Amino acid sequence: MTADDGLPPTDPPPPYTTEVRDALVVEQWDVPTRTYRRYQCGVLVEERPFTDAENATTDQQIADAARRTTQAALLEQARADLATNQAYLDAVAAGTATTDDAIAQVATLSRQALGFIRLTVGADLLDNAPPDPTGA
């Protein structure tokens, strides 16, 4: 999306103010206030609230940014989960895993599976914060 189609540029993601400039005109989409401004030769010639299309675009960009953040957190947690699972498997192989360890591992694997499903499926499943790694 560009200024040519009347929608705010996609970079950078909200909640920043984005601008499109040429030699004479500056178009500005102020996301925090949801205000569009157009300057010609440094003079403000138009200021208005976002249109429905601009609001929809901005809402989508904010949702996408939140999803990317959640996805990154889930990936980071998955890396930590690998170490946790390997430690449990090492304890099983060494014969030191207890029944309590096995019961705790079921809950751990269930939480990890939920995170993996959310990460794999994506979209609206990423709208929720990652589960607490402690299971609380």
Side-chain angles (χ1 to χ4, degrees):
M1 287 174 260
T2 65
D4 295 336
D5 57 20
L7 298 175
T10 56
D11 290 324
Y16 305 103
T17 298
T18 57
E19 293 185 351
V20 174
R21 297 173 176 258
D22 67 19
L24 301 175
V25 176
V26 175
E27 289 184 286
Q28 183 182 75
W29 288 267
D30 185 353
V31 173
T33 64
R34 301 282 176 124
T35 304
Y36 168 82
R37 295 178 189 91
R38 180 180 171 94
Y39 298 86
Q40 287 183 314
C41 300
V43 176
L44 179 65
V45 294
E46 181 181 4
E47 181 176 55
R48 59 169 171 74
F50 277 9
T51 64
D52 289 344
E54 289 165 337
N55 275 314
T57 298
T58 299
D59 290 343
Q60 185 62 53
Q61 290 172 338
I62 290 170
D64 291 346
R67 288 174 179 161
R68 285 189 299 274
T69 299
T70 301
Q71 184 178 35
L74 287 169
L75 284 170
E76 184 177 325
Q77 185 61 47
R79 288 182 184 95
D81 291 344
L82 287 173
T84 301
N85 289 335
Q86 188 59 55
Y88 173 74
L89 292 173
D90 291 346
V92 169
T96 59
T98 66
T99 302
D100 288 342
D101 292 337
I103 291 169
Q105 187 66 7
V106 170
T108 298
L109 289 172
S110 295
R111 179 188 51 77
Q112 292 168 355
L114 176 62
F116 179 75
I117 291 167
R118 290 175 62 214
L119 185 61
T120 303
V121 174
D124 60 330
L125 294 178
L126 292 174
D127 290 341
N128 302 313
D132 185 341
T134 63

